[in-house]
Amino acid sequence: MNIQIKSGALQQVLALASLVVLILFFTFSSSNFFQFSNIVGILLSTAVIGVLALGSTFVIITGGIDLSVGTVMTLSGVMTGVCITFWGLPVPVGILGGILTGALCGLLSGTAVAKMKIPPFIATLAMMMIAKGLALIISGAKPVYFNDAESFAEVSQGSVLGWLIPGLDIPNAVVIFFIAAVVGYLILSKTIIGRYNFALGSNEEATRLSGVHVGFWKIVIYTLTGAFTGLAGVMMASRLNSANPALGAGYELEAIAAVVIGGTSLSGGKGTIIGTVIGALIMSVLTNGLRILSVPQEWQTVVVGFVIILAVYADILRRRKA
Amino acid sequence: MKIMKKLSVLALILMLTASMLAACGSTGNNAAGGTDSPSEGGSGSGSSSAAEGEIYIPIISKGFQHQFWQAVKAGAEQAGEELGVRITFEGPETESQVDKQIEMLQAALDKKPSAIGFAALDSQASIPYLKKAQENNIPVIAFDSGVESDIPVTTASTDNMAASALAADKMAELIGNEGKIAMVVHDQTSVTGVSRRDGFKKQIEEKYPNIEIVDIQYGGGDHLKSTDLAKAMMQAHPDLKGIFGANEGSAVGVINAVTEMKKEGQIIVVGFDSGKAQIDAIKNGTMAGAITQNPVGIGYETVKAAVAAIKGEKVEPQIDTGFYWYDKNNIDSDEIKAVIYE
């Protein structure tokens, strides 16, 4: 456990250094980059993918993967819309409905992985399709709008901070992202869930032999990932003030990329929440900066691809030394 | 554990059997002998298609989830009812699933329809199947986007180049014929993405020398991505006067970005297509106006042309289904109400 924390710290320093270098580079390249409104914009565009990536971190540390987070996020957003708009339920109930929908999908994926022994790749691939289909069914294949519940938009778009400290107009979505990160950090480093999470990813057989109910904890972890995914869905719906069943595909890959850039190993047993936060920030600083420099989009995608390879290669080099 | 395994295998077998039975049942319903191979159908015994005398026209679209396709479907169904022909409407889940669409086209041909409506996702990939239709004397009506082939009897679509040139004219007028503008386009590979981008760009470059297009970015029609990239554009060019969003998702993204940057009214937003978010934005002043195609008309004209072709009547090789500029002033008129869709 001690070794993990140490290499984790080194990893974070490296990721943080890359982030700082990127920020410095863009600040010197364009005077429009380092401005309050743009920094807030970057944080806001990190928020949804960031929460998604936080959730994915747990499953990836077990050595698993969750390919369904993009479409489950959509399903959760649509479910919130169904609760609030179609059924006329109060906004908090709708939010809870969205988060629970995500958790339930995670529970099902986890059960498929832990009890039915379906490989995570396949089980969550199936969940990806199930969630996509269900999102279309419950929405009637149409976007759901929240125009009747104006307070819902405030969940992401409002600014509690700006209300507390005038001038500090940071949208709630950013605040929720950081709170979610703190909660994720506490779960991963201070609770038994976190401990078994690392144990499962390092050596599942040894964990089983030491008397841990492996199946149960796997289900807990997939459910936890699902709950974060549900929260991301609620945040996205609130930011767009609508839930569109056609959105969400492809977001799982961005979330996985953020986790990997943050130093979490896809083979499991190693990873941190702070790393994921930095990874998500690196992704959005990079895309925002390249956009501000008006780099053609084709090249933006190529650059992000290279960054992923570099991040994973740095991780491999470090492990060889260790 | 062992019992668990056996049970799950059993359940899987049951599910597979059930789905296979269901699949057989459904093809049986669609057409007697629906599983006949096309070569057998060519022998002349294939009159078993739709019930005797009934005209059946399957329509294969590019998708079905977007409101746009739902409106095309509504138009096709309306024509089907008026003309007394049977219509089916289907399309793949996303507009990148070329192979799925080809399968749908193949299946539709196997049912030996009277004519076929087709909006190609990939104009090249579909040509062998269209040839098969031609050999079997099944008229093909292309809609929305054309096919690079002379097989389709006609193409019912919006003239996207002309439509986005109109958007460019409106944008120029609204910003006083000078200044910096930017564009958010859905993609750079599809026919609509390319022709709307080029139609807008060409018009600005040729007619308005004092307007500069400073940036063109692609958001895949994804609302959230388009929002973020439009915000970055505004950040990079603080003196930006207007942004054009080339389809529904792009336009909604630009609207969100302007709202989040609190620049309502300072940046002129011109959009394309329709949808509730755009209609609301026009009503509350965030968006100046947008071009709408006439999707109901596209569906309607496709079926109408198909019926004409079946009857051997002459059909024009191009059917321009039209487009409209709508803004605060005419959004509630009957003419516009008929072509915008929520």
Side-chain angles (χ1 to χ4, degrees):
Chain A
M1 198 61 63
N2 241 330
I3 299 160
Q4 270 158 12
I5 290 166
K6 265 186 196 158
S7 81
L10 190 76
Q11 209 168 285
Q12 281 160 33
V13 170
L14 200 79
L16 191 63
S18 325
L19 180 61
V20 172
V21 167
L22 270 181
I23 292 174
L24 287 176
F25 172 74
F26 287 122
T27 305
F28 285 115
S29 309
S30 167
S31 58
N32 296 316
F33 178 79
F34 203 78
Q35 287 180 359
F36 183 69
S37 64
N38 195 46
I39 299 303
V40 172
I42 291 173
L43 291 174
L44 184 58
S45 67
T46 317
V48 171
I49 294 288
V51 171
L52 214 54
L54 288 176
S56 302
T57 311
F58 292 98
V59 162
I60 293 176
I61 291 176
T62 66
I65 194 102
D66 192 340
L67 295 176
S68 71
V69 295
T71 54
V72 168
M73 173 178 79
T74 307
L75 176 63
S76 302
V78 170
M79 194 62 206
T80 307
V82 167
C83 288
I84 294 174
T85 305
F86 295 177
W87 297 340
L89 296 172
V91 169
V93 179
I95 294 171
L96 197 66
I99 296 173
L100 286 180
T101 303
L104 187 67
C105 291
L107 179 74
L108 290 176
S109 296
T111 308
V113 171
K115 296 289 174 195
M116 293 160 77
K117 307 287 177 212
I118 299 173
F121 192 89
I122 309 292
T124 59
L125 185 71
M127 179 50 74
M128 177 186 196
M129 293 164 145
I130 293 169
K132 183 171 192 174
L134 287 179
L136 284 167
I137 293 167
I138 62 171
S139 65
K142 282 182 191 144
V144 187
Y145 295 94
F146 294 89
N147 290 353
D148 300 331
E150 274 171 27
S151 60
F152 181 67
E154 295 295 306
V155 173
S156 275
Q157 298 177 26
S159 177
V160 172
L161 272 182
W163 177 73
L164 288 172
I165 311 160
L168 199 66
D169 285 326
I170 294 174
N172 291 342
V174 176
V175 179
I176 296 173
F177 169 46
F178 283 109
I179 294 175
V182 170
V183 171
Y185 171 79
L186 291 177
I187 293 174
L188 196 58
S189 56
K190 307 282 176 209
T191 68
I192 193 162
I193 302 176
R195 200 166 320 143
Y196 288 157
N197 201 338
F198 282 113
L200 271 173
S202 305
N203 192 335
E204 192 173 326
E205 199 48 39
T207 314
R208 190 195 313 280
L209 292 175
S210 53
V212 175
H213 194 331
V214 167
F216 171 78
W217 289 105
K218 260 194 192 169
I219 294 176
V220 169
I221 290 163
Y222 276 87
T223 309
L224 188 65
T225 296
F228 274 92
T229 308
L231 176 64
V234 172
M235 288 164 69
M236 175 154 106
S238 169
R239 187 171 170 206
L240 297 174
N241 207 24
S242 65
N244 191 327
L247 288 186
Y251 282 77
E252 61 281 341
L253 297 180
E254 286 188 31
I256 293 168
V259 174
V260 167
I261 291 174
T264 295
S265 165
L266 278 177
S267 43
K270 205 158 132 319
T272 61
I273 289 292
I274 299 170
T276 298
V277 171
I278 297 171
L281 284 171
I282 287 178
M283 292 266 289
S284 41
V285 164
L286 199 58
T287 40
N288 176 279
L290 293 173
R291 273 173 195 157
I292 284 192
L293 296 182
S294 294
V295 171
Q297 202 137 12
E298 306 84 299
W299 287 105
Q300 294 178 17
T301 317
V302 172
V303 170
V304 173
F306 272 114
V307 168
I308 292 174
I309 289 189
L310 279 180
V312 178
Y313 185 57
D315 183 44
I316 289 172
L317 283 185
R318 211 163 35 237
R319 253 185 300 171
R320 259 188 221 150
K321 269 186 210 157
Chain B
M1 223 53 245
K2 259 188 181 166
I3 295 172
M4 240 346 238
K5 234 180 223 172
K6 275 183 187 161
L7 270 179
S8 53
V9 170
L10 188 67
L12 191 68
I13 290 170
L14 278 176
M15 266 164 17
L16 284 178
T17 320
S19 65
M20 275 161 78
L21 284 174
C24 293
S26 68
T27 44
N29 282 341
N30 284 343
T35 46
D36 281 359
S37 71
S39 60
E40 267 177 86
S43 67
S45 63
S47 58
S48 60
S49 65
E52 312 83 59
E54 187 196 42
I55 295 180
Y56 167 55
I57 307 166
I59 300 195
I60 316 289
S61 95
K62 284 182 175 180
F64 69 94
Q65 311 175 358
H66 288 97
Q67 298 316 297
F68 181 81
W69 298 115
Q70 294 284 336
V72 174
K73 184 180 174 207
E77 280 168 352
Q78 191 192 332
E81 234 168 76
E82 281 176 23
L83 300 168
V85 299
R86 189 159 73 90
I87 304 290
T88 51
F89 192 98
E90 59 183 335
E93 277 172 46
T94 73
E95 297 188 10
S96 55
Q97 292 173 323
V98 177
D99 49 336
K100 241 186 195 170
Q101 196 194 31
I102 295 291
E103 272 170 34
M104 287 174 174
L105 183 59
Q106 165 84 63
L109 284 171
D110 288 348
K111 292 179 205 160
K112 302 178 191 79
S114 325
I116 203 161
F118 182 59
L121 281 176
D122 183 319
S123 51
Q124 297 290 331
S126 54
I127 287 177
Y129 297 88
L130 298 180
K131 281 204 176 122
K132 215 183 280 174
Q134 194 177 33
E135 283 161 15
N136 289 304
N137 292 321
I138 299 168
V140 177
I141 313 296
F143 68 99
D144 185 61
S145 45
V147 179
E148 289 158 38
S149 146
D150 52 6
I151 297 171
V153 183
T154 185
T155 305
S157 67
T158 310
D159 182 345
N160 278 300
M161 289 283 275
S164 56
L166 175 62
D169 286 335
K170 293 287 180 182
M171 172 69 90
E173 187 190 322
L174 288 160
I175 62 168
N177 293 326
E178 58 171 355
K180 290 181 180 172
I181 57 171
M183 299 163 70
V184 176
V185 184
H186 39 295
D187 66 68
Q188 48 193 331
T189 46
S190 77
V191 174
T192 58
V194 169
S195 54
R196 285 181 204 170
R197 177 193 65 197
D198 294 349
F200 188 94
K201 205 170 150 229
K202 223 174 124 202
Q203 186 79 350
I204 293 286
E205 283 168 356
E206 284 174 5
K207 275 184 72 182
Y208 307 99
N210 296 327
I211 297 179
E212 187 196 352
I213 298 174
V214 291
D215 202 359
I216 303 176
Q217 298 271 353
Y218 305 87
D222 180 301
H223 302 196
L224 200 60
K225 276 185 194 146
S226 304
T227 305
D228 287 334
L229 64 86
K231 280 177 85 169
M233 278 176 171
M234 283 185 250
Q235 190 70 37
H237 307 281
D239 51 349
L240 204 62
K241 281 181 140 178
I243 306 181
F244 170 56
N247 79 341
E248 185 182 340
S250 312
V252 172
V254 176
I255 297 167
N256 287 342
V258 168
T259 314
E260 284 185 0
M261 299 282 278
K262 300 196 173 59
K263 288 202 168 176
E264 294 102 329
Q266 296 168 46
I267 294 213
I268 302 293
V269 182
V270 169
F272 209 111
D273 289 335
S274 172
K276 188 164 166 40
Q278 287 198 69
I279 292 169
D280 287 348
I282 287 178
K283 288 188 173 164
N284 72 26
T286 315
M287 178 179 245
I291 301 285
T292 178
Q293 311 182 63
N294 182 357
V296 177
I298 292 175
Y300 189 91
E301 292 296 336
T302 303
V303 173
K304 203 176 130 194
V307 173
I310 294 164
K311 290 182 178 161
E313 291 163 15
K314 195 178 176 313
V315 183
E316 289 298 318
Q318 273 290 337
I319 302 171
D320 184 357
T321 49
F323 51 84
Y324 303 85
W325 166 260
Y326 66 106
D327 57 20
K328 222 172 193 166
N329 301 320
N330 69 353
I331 195 164
D332 290 318
S333 70
D334 290 339
E335 187 193 29
I336 294 301
K337 266 191 184 157
V339 292
I340 56 179
Y341 39 93
E342 292 207 340

